[in-house]
C-alpha cells in the first residue's frame, strides 16, 4: 500500500457496539475531512473502471459521499440508491438482510435502459446491501459496469454474495 493509502486507512475510526451490540462500526468521517486522503481513496476506488461507466450509483448513506466524489473526479453523473420511503418517485425496490437486521432500497428510473453504472458504497460486509443494489440496477435495465467499495470486512466474505467487488481496504 502506498503511504497515501496508509494515511487514509489510518483515518478510519472503529467504534464498538454501534449501531447494535457486537458491531464494530467503521467511521470514515475523519477520512472524508482530510482532502488529500479523500482524493487518494477516490482515485483508488475508480482506477480499475476508468472509461467503463456513464453514471455512478451511490448506496445510502455513506456511499452517496463517495459516489459524489467519484462522479466529480471522473466527469460522470451520480444517482442515489435510497432507503425505502425516501424517494418521491421510486421505480423499483429490493429487500435484503443485513448482519444486524433487514432493509429495503429503492431507485428511480430516470436514465435510459443500458446506462452503464459504477456501483459505489463505503463498506462490504456480508454483501446483502451491494447484492440488493446490483439486483435493483439490473431490474431497471441498467448495466453494472463494476462494483467498488472503500473497505471490505474480509472475515464476513461478502464477495461470495456479490463479487467481484473492487476494494480499496480490507479490514
Amino acid at each position: 500500500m502506498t503511504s497515501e493509502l496508509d494515511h487514509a486507512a489510518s483515518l478510519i475510526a472503529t467504534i464498538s457496539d454501534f449501531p447494535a451490540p457486537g458491531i464494530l462500526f467503521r467511521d470514515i468521517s475523519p477520512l472524508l475531512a482530510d482532502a488529500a486522503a479523500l482524493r487518494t481513496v477516490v482515485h483508488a476506488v475508480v482506477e480499475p473502471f476508468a472509461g467503463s461507466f456513464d453514471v455512478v450509483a451511490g448506496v445510502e448513506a455513506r456511499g452517496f459521499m463517495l459516489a459524489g466524489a467519484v462522479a466529480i473526479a471522473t466527469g460522470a453523473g451520480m444517482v442515489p440508491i435510497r432507503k425505502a420511503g425516501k424517494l418521491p418517485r421510486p421505480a423499483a425496490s429490493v429487500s435484503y438482510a443485513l448482519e444486524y437486521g433487514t432493509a429495503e432500497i429503492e431507485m428511480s428510473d430516470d436514465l435510459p435502459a443500458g446506462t452503464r453504472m459504477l456501483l459505489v458504497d463505503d463498506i462490504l460486509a456480508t454483501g446483502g446491501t451491494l447484492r440488493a443494489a446490483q439486483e435493483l440496477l439490473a431490474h431497471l435495465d441498467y448495466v453494472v459496469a463494476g462494483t467498488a467499495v472503500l473497505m471490505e470486512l474480509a472475515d464476513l466474505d461478502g464477495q461470495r454474495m456479490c463479487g467481484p467487488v473492487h476494494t480499496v481496504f480490507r479490514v
Side-chain angles (χ1 to χ4, degrees):
M1 206 180 298
T2 69
S3 62
E4 292 86 7
L5 281 173
D6 288 338
H7 172 68
S10 75
L11 296 173
I12 300 170
T14 301
I15 311 299
S16 298
D17 299 320
F18 182 83
I23 303 294
L24 293 175
F25 182 82
R26 308 299 173 151
D27 183 9
I28 64 170
S29 298
L31 184 153
L32 295 172
D34 184 301
L38 179 58
R39 187 171 34 259
T40 295
V41 299
V42 164
H43 291 296
V45 163
V46 76
E47 184 206 12
F49 308 105
S52 68
F53 61 93
D54 307 305
V55 176
V56 182
V59 181
E60 187 165 346
R62 297 185 307 169
F64 288 173
M65 295 178 271
L66 290 173
V70 167
I72 289 168
T74 61
M78 186 265 174
V79 296
I81 297 176
R82 302 287 320 257
K83 294 177 183 173
K86 302 289 185 179
L87 289 174
R89 299 175 294 108
S93 66
V94 174
S95 296
Y96 61 100
L98 296 166
E99 61 273 18
Y100 50 84
T102 60
E104 184 177 357
I105 53 175
E106 299 175 331
M107 188 173 177
S108 297
D109 61 351
D110 299 323
L111 299 170
T115 300
R116 300 173 308 158
M117 301 273 184
L118 174 60
L119 179 59
V120 173
D121 204 357
D122 64 314
I123 194 162
L124 171 60
T126 62
T129 304
L130 279 178
R131 182 70 211 142
Q134 290 167 336
E135 290 173 11
L136 188 57
L137 292 171
H139 179 75
L140 292 170
D141 293 323
Y142 298 136
V143 174
V144 179
T147 304
V149 295
L150 178 62
M151 68 190 122
E152 175 183 355
L153 304 179
D155 292 346
L156 297 179
D157 197 24
Q159 295 260 357
R160 176 184 44 78
M161 182 178 283
C162 59
V165 176
H166 170 62
T167 302
V168 177
F169 304 120
R170 290 177 56 94
V171 294

